[in-house]
C-alpha cells in the first residue's frame, strides 16, 4: 500500500508552478476517446496567445510552456509561437498526437527553440491505419516517432497514454519498450480514464439549474467497468519492474488519501534500468532548481545525467540501490563503464474523481491550469466554463416514486 510519507510532496502552487498549459486551438485531426474537448471555437490568434504567454510568465512562474490543443501542430503559426516563448526564456514543449509531424517541420520547430514533445499515443484513438491495435503493437508507432526525434537530436521526448480498464494489463508492454529506448525516450505518462454517465447522473450549474451533460465530451450513456486508480497503475509497474519506485506526488484537492500525480524517475544505461531516484533526490532536484533558476522543475533539459547522479546516493537509499546495481553490471561487463547514465521519468495521473456530494477531487496545485476570460481554470474542465459559465456539480439521479 502506498504511503505518502514515503514520497516527496511536490512544492508546486497556483502562482509558482513549473507548467503553463496554453491551449492554442481546439481543432484536432483525430479524435481520442478520453478527449476533454467537444465545444469547438477554432484557432486563437497569435496576438492573443502572446498575451497569454506573458500572463503566465507574470502569474505562474513556469519552467515550461505546454503547448496544447486540440492538435498544436496544425496551428498555422506554431513556429512563430514557439519562437516567442523561447524569447521569454521559458522552454516550449508541444503536446501532440504526432500525426502532422514531419522531419522538415521537426527541424523548423527545433530551430525556433522547441525543447521537446509530449506525444499522445494509445489504442483508443481514431488514428488512421492504427485502429484496433494493442498497446504492444502501437510500440512500433512510438518507435517511429522516437527514431525521428532522435535523428533530429537535442529534443526531449515523452509519450503519454490514457489507461482504460481494457488496457490496464498492457501497461508493462509500454514500460518495457520504454526501457529499451532509454537514450531516446525521456519519459512515459499514464493517465487514468474517467467519465460521467448520462443514465444515472444529473448536472447542476452555478445558478442551481440543471444542464445538458451530453454537451461535454467526457460523458457516456453507460460505463459499467471499474475505473483504474493511480495506485493500481503504480502496482502493476512495480510488480513487473521491481527497480521502479515513485519519488514525488501531488494529492487531491478534497480527498486526503488520493494520489493525483505520482512521479518516479528510473536511472539506467542504454537499454537497462538500474533503479530509481528516491524522495530525497526529488527534493534536491526541485529545491535546487528553484534556488538556481527561480523556478521549479518539470522537464529536464537532457536525460543524459551522467554518473554524477549517484553522488546523492549516501542520502537516498532508493538511489543507493540503483548505484549498487550499476556497479554489479559494470563489474560483469567492464565496457559499460563508458556507457551513458540516463534518466527516464514515469508519471501517473489520476483524472478528476466525482464525489457523492457532486464535487470533483481535482489535482492539488493543478499543473495543467489554463487561461479563460483572464483567469486560471483547470484545463480538463474548461468546457464546463465555456458551455455553462463555471464548474458544474454532478449528482446521482434520484429515482422518483410514481404512484398509480
Amino acid at each position: 500500500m502506498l504511503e505518502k510519507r514515503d514520497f516527496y510532496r511536490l512544492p508546486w502552487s497556483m502562482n509558482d508552478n513549473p507548467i503553463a498549459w496554453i491551449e492554442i486551438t481546439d481543432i484536432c485531426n483525430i479524435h481520442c476517446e478520453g478527449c476533454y474537448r467537444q465545444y469547438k471555437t477554432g484557432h486563437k490568434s497569435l496576438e492573443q496567445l502572446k498575451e497569454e504567454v506573458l500572463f503566465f510568465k507574470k502569474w505562474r512562474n513556469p519552467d515550461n510552456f505546454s503547448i496544447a490543443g486540440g492538435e498544436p501542430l496544425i496551428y498555422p503559426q506554431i513556429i512563430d509561437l514557439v519562437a516567442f516563448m523561447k524569447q521569454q526564456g521559458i522552454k516550449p514543449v508541444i503536446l501532440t498526437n504526432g500525426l502532422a509531424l514531419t522531419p522538415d517541420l521537426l527541424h523548423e520547430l527545433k530551430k525556433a527553440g522547441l525543447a521537446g514533445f509530449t506525444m499522445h499515443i494509445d489504442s483508443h484513438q481514431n488514428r488512421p491505419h492504427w485502429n484496433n491495435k494493442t498497446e504492444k503493437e502501437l510500440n512500433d508507432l512510438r518507435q517511429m516517432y522516437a527514431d525521428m526525434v532522435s535523428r533530429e537530436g537535442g529534443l526531449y521526448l515523452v509519450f503519454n497514454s490514457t489507461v482504460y480498464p481494457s488496457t490496464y494489463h498492457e501497461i508493462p508492454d509500454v514500460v518495457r519498450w520504454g526501457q529499451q529506448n532509454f537514450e531516446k525516450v525521456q519519459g512515459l505518462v499514464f493517465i487514468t480514464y474517467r467519465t460521467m454517465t448520462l443514465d444515472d447522473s444529473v448536472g447542476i450549474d452555478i445558478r442551481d439549474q440543471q444542464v445538458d451533460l451530453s454537451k461535454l465530451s467526457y460523458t457516456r450513456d453507460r460505463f459499467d467497468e471499474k475505473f483504474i486508480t493511480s495506485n493500481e497503475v503504480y502496482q502493476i509497474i512495480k510488480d513487473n519492474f521491481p527497480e521502479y519506485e515513485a519519488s514525488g506526488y501531488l494529492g487531491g484537492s478534497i480527498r486526503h488519501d488520493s494520489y493525483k500525480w505520482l512521479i518516479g524517475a528510473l536511472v539506467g544505461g542504454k537499454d537497462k534500468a538500474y533503479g530509481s531516484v528516491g524522495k530525497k533526490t526529488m527534493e534536491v532536484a526541485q529545491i535546487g532548481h528553484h534556488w538556481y533558476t527561480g523556478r521549479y522543475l518539470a522537464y529536464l533539459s537532457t536525460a543524459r545525467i551522467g554518473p554524477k547522479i549517484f553522488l546523492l546516493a549516501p542520502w537516498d537509499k532508493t538511489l543507493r540501490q540503483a548505484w549498487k546495481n550499476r556497479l554489479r553490471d559494470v563489474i560483469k561487463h567492464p565496457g559499460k563503464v563508458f556507457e551513458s547514465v540516463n534518466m527516464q521519468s514515469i508519471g501517473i495521473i489520476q483524472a478528476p474523481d466525482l464525489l457523492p456530494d457532486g464535487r470533483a477531487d481535482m489535482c492539488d496545485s493543478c499543473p495543467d491550469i489554463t487561461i479563460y476570460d483572464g483567469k486560471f481554470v483547470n484545463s480538463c474542465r474548461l468546457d464546463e466554463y465555456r458551455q455553462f459559465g463555471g464548474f458544474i456539480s454532478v449528482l446521482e439521479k434520484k429515482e422518483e416514486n410514481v404512484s398509480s
Side-chain angles (χ1 to χ4, degrees):
M1 181 177 177
L2 296 176
E3 295 284 351
K4 286 190 173 178
R5 63 174 174 267
D6 294 333
F7 312 117
Y8 175 63
R9 196 280 184 188
L10 298 170
W12 308 346
S13 65
M14 175 73 76
N15 294 109
D16 200 357
N17 200 298
I19 298 175
W21 183 281
I22 291 192
E23 300 202 1
I24 65 175
T25 181
D26 48 28
I27 307 300
C28 197
N29 47 10
I30 62 175
H31 177 73
C32 304
E33 184 176 330
C35 181
Y36 292 132
R37 291 292 164 265
Q38 181 166 311
Y39 185 70
K40 308 294 186 185
T41 58
H43 301 319
K44 292 180 180 178
S45 71
L46 183 59
E47 289 308 310
Q48 179 184 349
L49 291 171
K50 286 182 177 180
E51 290 177 5
E52 291 188 6
V53 165
L54 297 176
F55 185 91
F56 266 121
K57 186 177 179 180
K58 178 179 180 180
W59 293 108
R60 188 73 164 171
N61 194 32
D63 178 61
N64 79 279
F65 286 111
S66 291
I67 307 171
E71 173 47 54
L73 292 183
I74 65 175
Y75 183 72
Q77 296 168 289
I78 184 63
I79 293 173
D80 295 331
L81 179 61
V82 167
F84 181 75
M85 290 174 171
K86 178 66 174 178
Q87 289 170 9
Q88 304 307 309
I90 301 172
K91 304 175 211 168
V93 177
I94 292 178
L95 283 69
T96 176
N97 59 45
L99 191 63
L101 188 63
T102 65
D104 288 342
L105 177 57
L106 178 62
H107 183 68
E108 291 303 311
L109 287 168
K110 183 187 173 185
K111 282 175 55 181
L114 187 70
F117 294 96
T118 292
M119 198 165 292
H120 187 97
I121 294 176
D122 69 47
S123 56
H124 283 227
Q125 292 174 307
N126 184 25
R127 184 181 287 272
H129 313 301
W130 290 91
N131 288 326
N132 303 313
K133 300 291 186 181
T134 65
E135 296 299 327
K136 185 175 183 179
E137 291 170 330
L138 283 170
N139 283 338
D140 291 338
L141 181 60
R142 295 183 180 99
Q143 191 69 55
M144 182 191 79
Y145 285 118
D147 292 342
M148 183 192 300
V149 174
S150 177
R151 281 192 296 270
E152 179 63 37
L155 292 166
Y156 197 89
L157 180 61
V158 172
F159 285 94
N160 68 21
S161 59
T162 305
V163 178
Y164 303 87
S166 60
T167 63
Y168 166 70
H169 67 283
E170 298 181 88
I171 290 174
D173 293 323
V174 180
V175 176
R176 190 170 295 109
W177 172 82
Q179 291 199 8
Q180 294 165 1
N181 287 272
F182 251 107
E183 292 186 317
K184 296 180 179 180
V185 178
Q186 286 73 52
L188 303 170
V189 179
F190 300 99
I191 306 163
T192 63
Y193 179 70
R194 294 292 186 271
T195 188
M196 292 184 287
T197 50
L198 298 175
D199 62 341
D200 59 8
S201 299
V202 59
I204 305 297
D205 67 13
I206 57 177
R207 294 172 293 276
D208 206 28
Q209 300 295 311
Q210 186 170 332
V211 300
D212 181 3
L213 289 177
S214 67
K215 291 183 177 181
L216 300 172
S217 62
Y218 38 91
T219 57
R220 298 291 180 270
D221 291 333
R222 290 197 61 82
F223 192 79
D224 297 323
E225 297 179 272
K226 177 182 174 294
F227 292 135
I228 302 299
T229 66
S230 56
N231 302 54
E232 291 171 311
V233 176
Y234 165 89
Q235 197 59 55
I236 196 172
I237 299 174
K238 185 69 175 175
D239 289 345
N240 285 271
F241 306 94
E243 64 275 15
Y244 160 75
E245 188 52 83
S247 54
Y249 77 94
L250 289 176
S253 57
I254 300 175
R255 289 188 53 171
H256 65 278
D257 58 345
S258 62
Y259 292 87
K260 287 302 183 179
W261 281 50
L262 194 58
I263 307 296
L266 290 166
V267 178
K270 183 179 180 181
D271 54 11
K272 179 181 180 179
Y274 296 121
S276 301
V277 306
K279 62 182 290 187
K280 286 296 182 183
T281 300
M282 180 62 74
E283 182 176 3
V284 168
Q286 291 295 323
I287 301 303
H289 193 271
H290 199 281
W291 177 83
Y292 186 71
T293 68
R295 298 165 180 161
Y296 291 119
L297 178 66
Y299 290 88
L300 290 171
S301 298
T302 176
R304 291 197 176 193
I305 52 175
K308 62 181 180 293
I309 184 69
F310 295 120
L311 293 175
L312 294 171
W315 298 275
D316 189 328
K317 64 179 181 180
T318 306
L319 184 61
R320 189 156 60 244
Q321 185 58 53
W323 175 77
K324 290 177 181 178
N325 291 339
R326 172 171 166 79
L327 188 60
R328 293 189 193 101
D329 199 31
V330 169
I331 291 172
K332 288 178 63 177
H333 309 284
K336 288 195 173 184
V337 71
F338 303 107
E339 188 175 88
S340 63
V341 176
N342 306 292
M343 185 177 288
Q344 186 179 87
S345 64
I346 295 184
I348 303 168
I349 301 174
Q350 184 170 312
D353 293 287
L354 290 175
L355 303 180
D357 63 2
R359 294 179 298 168
D361 188 32
M362 307 293 290
C363 304
D364 192 18
S365 303
C366 173
D368 295 342
I369 286 281
T370 192
I371 299 172
Y372 178 72
D373 196 23
K375 57 182 176 290
F376 287 142
V377 175
N378 304 77
S379 64
C380 62
R381 300 182 67 184
L382 175 61
D383 273 8
E384 293 176 38
Y385 267 84
R386 300 199 299 178
Q387 298 266 29
F388 310 123
F391 286 159
I392 61 172
S393 299
V394 180
L395 301 170
E396 186 176 351
K397 284 182 179 178
K398 304 288 186 183
E399 290 190 13
E400 297 180 0
N401 296 320
V402 180
S403 57
S404 55

